[in-house]
Amino acid sequence: MVGAVDIGGTKIAVGIVDDSGNVLAKEESPTDAHHGYAHGLERISGMLRKTSSDAGVSISGIGIGCTGVVYPFSGAFGDVDFLPGWKGFNATEGLARVFGVKAALENDADAAALGEAAWGAGKGKSRLIYVTVGTGIGGGIILDGQLYRGADMAHPEIGHHVIDPSGPPCSCGFRGCWESLATGPAMAAWFKTQKSPGESDLADLNAEQICKLAQQGDELARRAVEREAYYLGLGLANLINLFVPDMIVFGGSVMKSAALFLEGIRKTIGQGCRFVPFENTELAMASLGENANLIGAARVWHHRFRPSAGPVF
């Protein structure tokens, strides 16, 4: 029974997950990072006690997924924008000390990749890429059943490979990154620039609302969807050319409208991946539902401390 912790920008979720990926109990709380790390650790500890009591079990270990820069093998937080003052603090050491069990930390996209590969849409696939598209673009890469890490065990930032060097500025300081062109905010920003002066009521629509308009036949919204599918497809074609995975699994708020994008995505992949067997890469939606982040956090612990269980597939 693993205590799972998902630390996000607006909320912290905590749950108890069994070794089949079932969530037995969960709690949520606002992140409230401004109260400091010690307060956050105390709150997470309390939520773990509550959920283990609700589930009627003892915690065997603790897995943590956190958005942003983290250091998996030291267990420390990096410079995470929404956790001011938490940099350098070590949640794995803190929670291990409180509960007397081993704890492990990963970036939340890597955690989600591990969850989908073990218990979700990618079960049985040895080469899988998880891509989440929402306000940003993130992902995790599983190769031969193991989580891929870069130099210094770094998490690859797939959202910051360049699609168009003359494209819009990105938050990283470069121009034309995948994240600057294919996220929900990027879709909404383009839509806003294309509307006519008399359409002020359409000025602040988000990606979800634009997709609904496209389904109703609005021409500008349909163009926005086509553009989104094209830029999603370019980034995915790059990933397929580089890794030729068995499967790419989609998550995130924008991909809830994947049915609108998939035809355009497949067309772009077909045009851009002529020298690899792209047709063998399956495109699938994440299947773990609203508890995906908790389930992924639990899988972080299994991946780190149960090597005898073998690869995730």
Side-chain angles (χ1 to χ4, degrees):
M1 300 294 173
V2 176
V5 180
D6 173 47
I7 303 174
T10 58
K11 70 178 181 180
I12 295 173
V14 167
I16 303 298
V17 182
D18 69 17
D19 59 5
S20 296
N22 300 305
V23 178
L24 307 183
K26 68 177 182 178
E27 291 271 322
E28 294 182 356
S29 171
T31 302
D32 287 343
H34 61 279
H35 289 304
Y37 168 76
H39 179 267
L41 182 67
E42 182 179 352
R43 197 148 37 91
I44 290 169
S45 299
M47 294 165 73
L48 283 168
R49 292 190 187 97
K50 174 70 163 54
T51 50
S52 63
S53 175
D54 289 346
V57 299
S58 297
I59 294 174
S60 308
I62 298 170
I64 307 166
C66 179
T67 303
V69 179
V70 297
Y71 299 99
F73 286 92
S74 72
F77 295 108
D79 190 8
V80 182
D81 289 344
F82 64 83
L83 297 176
W86 290 40
K87 182 179 180 180
F89 285 100
N90 194 307
T92 57
E93 288 182 357
L95 291 173
R97 184 169 56 249
V98 170
F99 290 93
V101 298
K102 293 180 178 179
L105 169 72
E106 294 283 1
N107 172 273
D108 62 343
D110 283 338
L114 288 169
E116 289 291 342
W119 294 319
K123 189 173 183 179
K125 306 295 186 182
S126 65
R127 293 170 293 274
L128 174 146
I129 300 177
Y130 174 79
V131 176
T132 176
V133 185
T135 56
I137 294 180
I141 301 169
I142 306 292
L143 295 178
D144 297 326
Q146 300 296 326
L147 183 64
Y148 172 79
R149 304 180 193 280
D152 199 28
M153 299 296 153
H155 162 77
E157 290 290 348
I158 65 171
H160 293 284
H161 76 277
V162 174
I163 299 296
D164 178 1
S166 63
C170 182
S171 60
C172 71
F174 215 28
R175 300 187 73 94
C177 293
W178 196 18
E179 186 168 293
S180 74
L181 289 162
T183 58
M187 185 180 185
W190 181 87
F191 185 85
K192 185 175 181 178
T193 65
Q194 300 299 307
K195 68 176 184 60
S196 65
E199 296 175 312
S200 58
D201 56 325
L202 301 179
D204 297 316
L205 296 185
N206 60 31
E208 180 183 3
Q209 292 166 325
I210 294 167
C211 287
K212 287 180 179 178
L213 268 183
Q215 289 174 316
Q216 295 165 10
D218 182 88
E219 180 58 30
L220 179 57
R222 290 176 66 176
R223 285 169 51 206
V225 165
E226 289 173 3
R227 180 181 183 274
E228 176 70 10
Y230 175 67
Y231 281 119
L232 286 172
L234 284 179
L236 293 168
N238 288 340
L239 294 178
I240 292 171
N241 277 323
L242 287 168
F243 296 102
V244 201
D246 299 312
M247 176 180 282
I248 294 177
V249 178
F250 299 124
S253 58
V254 169
M255 297 313 292
K256 290 179 180 179
S257 301
L260 295 176
F261 306 131
L262 283 175
E263 181 179 352
I265 285 172
R266 289 193 172 101
K267 178 181 178 181
T268 302
I269 289 172
Q271 292 171 336
C273 298
R274 292 171 45 232
F275 299 119
V276 297
F278 67 89
E279 63 276 2
N280 293 336
T281 297
E282 183 179 352
L283 306 181
M285 293 302 299
S287 66
L288 295 178
E290 64 178 13
N291 291 322
N293 285 359
L294 281 180
I295 295 169
R299 191 65 201 179
V300 166
W301 184 88
H302 287 271
H303 191 69
R304 186 77 56 81
F305 297 120
R306 294 187 68 194
S308 59
V312 295
F313 57 89

